[in-house]
PDB file of all heavy atoms in Angstrom:
ATOM      1  N   SER B 112      10.442  -3.634  -7.838  1.00 98.00           N
ATOM      2  CA  SER B 112      11.598  -4.561  -7.633  1.00 98.00           C
ATOM      3  C   SER B 112      11.325  -5.383  -6.334  1.00 98.00           C
ATOM      4  O   SER B 112      10.607  -4.885  -5.464  1.00 98.00           O
ATOM      5  CB  SER B 112      12.825  -3.777  -7.474  1.00 98.00           C
ATOM      6  OG  SER B 112      13.117  -2.890  -8.549  1.00 98.00           O
ATOM      7  N   PRO B 113      11.811  -6.512  -6.179  1.00 98.00           N
ATOM      8  CA  PRO B 113      11.738  -7.247  -5.050  1.00 98.00           C
ATOM      9  C   PRO B 113      12.369  -6.488  -3.909  1.00 98.00           C
ATOM     10  O   PRO B 113      13.427  -5.859  -3.944  1.00 98.00           O
ATOM     11  CB  PRO B 113      12.536  -8.628  -5.227  1.00 98.00           C
ATOM     12  CG  PRO B 113      12.548  -8.703  -6.800  1.00 98.00           C
ATOM     13  CD  PRO B 113      12.619  -7.251  -7.181  1.00 98.00           C
ATOM     14  N   PRO B 114      11.823  -6.444  -2.584  1.00 97.00           N
ATOM     15  CA  PRO B 114      12.367  -5.796  -1.511  1.00 97.00           C
ATOM     16  C   PRO B 114      13.705  -6.299  -0.948  1.00 97.00           C
ATOM     17  O   PRO B 114      14.456  -5.533  -0.370  1.00 97.00           O
ATOM     18  CB  PRO B 114      11.255  -5.974  -0.435  1.00 97.00           C
ATOM     19  CG  PRO B 114      10.516  -7.170  -0.699  1.00 97.00           C
ATOM     20  CD  PRO B 114      10.449  -7.225  -2.229  1.00 97.00           C
ATOM     21  N   GLN B 115      14.056  -7.496  -1.454  1.00 98.00           N
ATOM     22  CA  GLN B 115      15.377  -8.056  -1.017  1.00 98.00           C
ATOM     23  C   GLN B 115      16.492  -7.393  -1.570  1.00 98.00           C
ATOM     24  O   GLN B 115      17.625  -7.654  -1.089  1.00 98.00           O
ATOM     25  CB  GLN B 115      15.420  -9.616  -1.408  1.00 98.00           C
ATOM     26  CG  GLN B 115      14.347 -10.417  -0.650  1.00 98.00           C
ATOM     27  CD  GLN B 115      13.083 -10.607  -1.290  1.00 98.00           C
ATOM     28  OE1 GLN B 115      12.794  -9.887  -2.225  1.00 98.00           O
ATOM     29  NE2 GLN B 115      12.262 -11.516  -0.772  1.00 98.00           N
ATOM     30  N   ILE B 116      16.203  -6.511  -2.534  1.00 98.00           N
ATOM     31  CA  ILE B 116      17.441  -5.695  -2.981  1.00 98.00           C
ATOM     32  C   ILE B 116      18.013  -4.870  -1.856  1.00 98.00           C
ATOM     33  O   ILE B 116      19.289  -4.679  -1.843  1.00 98.00           O
ATOM     34  CB  ILE B 116      17.029  -4.759  -4.175  1.00 98.00           C
ATOM     35  CG1 ILE B 116      18.248  -4.097  -4.827  1.00 98.00           C
ATOM     36  CG2 ILE B 116      15.995  -3.885  -3.715  1.00 98.00           C
ATOM     37  CD1 ILE B 116      19.195  -4.899  -5.367  1.00 98.00           C
ATOM     38  N   ALA B 117      17.177  -4.435  -0.893  1.00 98.00           N
ATOM     39  CA  ALA B 117      17.686  -3.623   0.277  1.00 98.00           C
ATOM     40  C   ALA B 117      18.660  -4.566   1.027  1.00 98.00           C
ATOM     41  O   ALA B 117      19.676  -4.073   1.497  1.00 98.00           O
ATOM     42  CB  ALA B 117      16.549  -3.123   0.987  1.00 98.00           C
ATOM     43  N   GLU B 118      18.284  -5.804   1.206  1.00 98.00           N
ATOM     44  CA  GLU B 118      19.038  -6.654   1.956  1.00 98.00           C
ATOM     45  C   GLU B 118      20.463  -6.931   1.244  1.00 98.00           C
ATOM     46  O   GLU B 118      21.528  -6.984   1.973  1.00 98.00           O
ATOM     47  CB  GLU B 118      18.429  -7.972   2.070  1.00 98.00           C
ATOM     48  CG  GLU B 118      17.065  -7.979   2.893  1.00 98.00           C
ATOM     49  CD  GLU B 118      16.328  -9.283   2.924  1.00 98.00           C
ATOM     50  OE1 GLU B 118      16.995 -10.252   2.447  1.00 98.00           O
ATOM     51  OE2 GLU B 118      15.228  -9.217   3.471  1.00 98.00           O
ATOM     52  N   GLY B 119      20.484  -7.102   0.005  1.00 98.00           N
ATOM     53  CA  GLY B 119      21.608  -7.300  -0.780  1.00 98.00           C
ATOM     54  C   GLY B 119      22.606  -6.017  -0.604  1.00 98.00           C
ATOM     55  O   GLY B 119      23.813  -6.267  -0.610  1.00 98.00           O
ATOM     56  N   LEU B 120      22.034  -4.849  -0.745  1.00 98.00           N
ATOM     57  CA  LEU B 120      22.874  -3.637  -0.720  1.00 98.00           C
ATOM     58  C   LEU B 120      23.416  -3.567   0.744  1.00 98.00           C
ATOM     59  O   LEU B 120      24.640  -3.224   0.947  1.00 98.00           O
ATOM     60  CB  LEU B 120      22.003  -2.462  -1.014  1.00 98.00           C
ATOM     61  CG  LEU B 120      21.637  -2.326  -2.485  1.00 98.00           C
ATOM     62  CD1 LEU B 120      20.475  -1.265  -2.763  1.00 98.00           C
ATOM     63  CD2 LEU B 120      22.769  -1.963  -3.386  1.00 98.00           C
ATOM     64  N   ALA B 121      22.730  -3.746   1.730  1.00 98.00           N
ATOM     65  CA  ALA B 121      23.141  -3.722   3.085  1.00 98.00           C
ATOM     66  C   ALA B 121      24.288  -4.751   3.360  1.00 98.00           C
ATOM     67  O   ALA B 121      25.338  -4.523   3.925  1.00 98.00           O
ATOM     68  CB  ALA B 121      22.180  -3.910   4.092  1.00 98.00           C
ATOM     69  N   ALA B 122      24.073  -5.999   2.907  1.00 98.00           N
ATOM     70  CA  ALA B 122      25.052  -7.032   2.996  1.00 98.00           C
ATOM     71  C   ALA B 122      26.345  -6.707   2.264  1.00 98.00           C
ATOM     72  O   ALA B 122      27.406  -7.184   2.665  1.00 98.00           O
ATOM     73  CB  ALA B 122      24.442  -8.339   2.584  1.00 98.00           C
ATOM     74  N   THR B 123      26.354  -5.842   1.298  1.00 98.00           N
ATOM     75  CA  THR B 123      27.477  -5.559   0.430  1.00 98.00           C
ATOM     76  C   THR B 123      28.207  -4.495   1.145  1.00 98.00           C
ATOM     77  O   THR B 123      29.407  -4.250   0.919  1.00 98.00           O
ATOM     78  CB  THR B 123      26.949  -5.031  -0.996  1.00 98.00           C
ATOM     79  OG1 THR B 123      26.226  -6.054  -1.604  1.00 98.00           O
ATOM     80  CG2 THR B 123      28.266  -4.697  -1.828  1.00 98.00           C
ATOM     81  N   GLY B 124      27.634  -3.741   2.076  1.00 98.00           N
ATOM     82  CA  GLY B 124      28.399  -2.867   2.919  1.00 98.00           C
ATOM     83  C   GLY B 124      27.812  -1.411   2.696  1.00 98.00           C
ATOM     84  O   GLY B 124      28.386  -0.476   3.251  1.00 98.00           O
ATOM     85  N   TYR B 125      26.783  -1.253   1.980  1.00 98.00           N
ATOM     86  CA  TYR B 125      26.245   0.102   1.809  1.00 98.00           C
ATOM     87  C   TYR B 125      25.494   0.493   3.051  1.00 98.00           C
ATOM     88  O   TYR B 125      24.877  -0.349   3.712  1.00 98.00           O
ATOM     89  CB  TYR B 125      25.244   0.196   0.671  1.00 98.00           C
ATOM     90  CG  TYR B 125      26.008   0.146  -0.680  1.00 98.00           C
ATOM     91  CD1 TYR B 125      25.962  -1.070  -1.396  1.00 98.00           C
ATOM     92  CD2 TYR B 125      26.605   1.277  -1.135  1.00 98.00           C
ATOM     93  CE1 TYR B 125      26.646  -1.054  -2.622  1.00 98.00           C
ATOM     94  CE2 TYR B 125      27.317   1.170  -2.310  1.00 98.00           C
ATOM     95  CZ  TYR B 125      27.331   0.036  -3.071  1.00 98.00           C
ATOM     96  OH  TYR B 125      27.960  -0.007  -4.357  1.00 98.00           O
TER      97      TYR B 125
END
Side-chain angles (χ1 to χ4, degrees):
S112 305
Q115 290 89 349
I116 184 64
E118 298 172 6
L120 290 165
T123 303
Y125 287 102

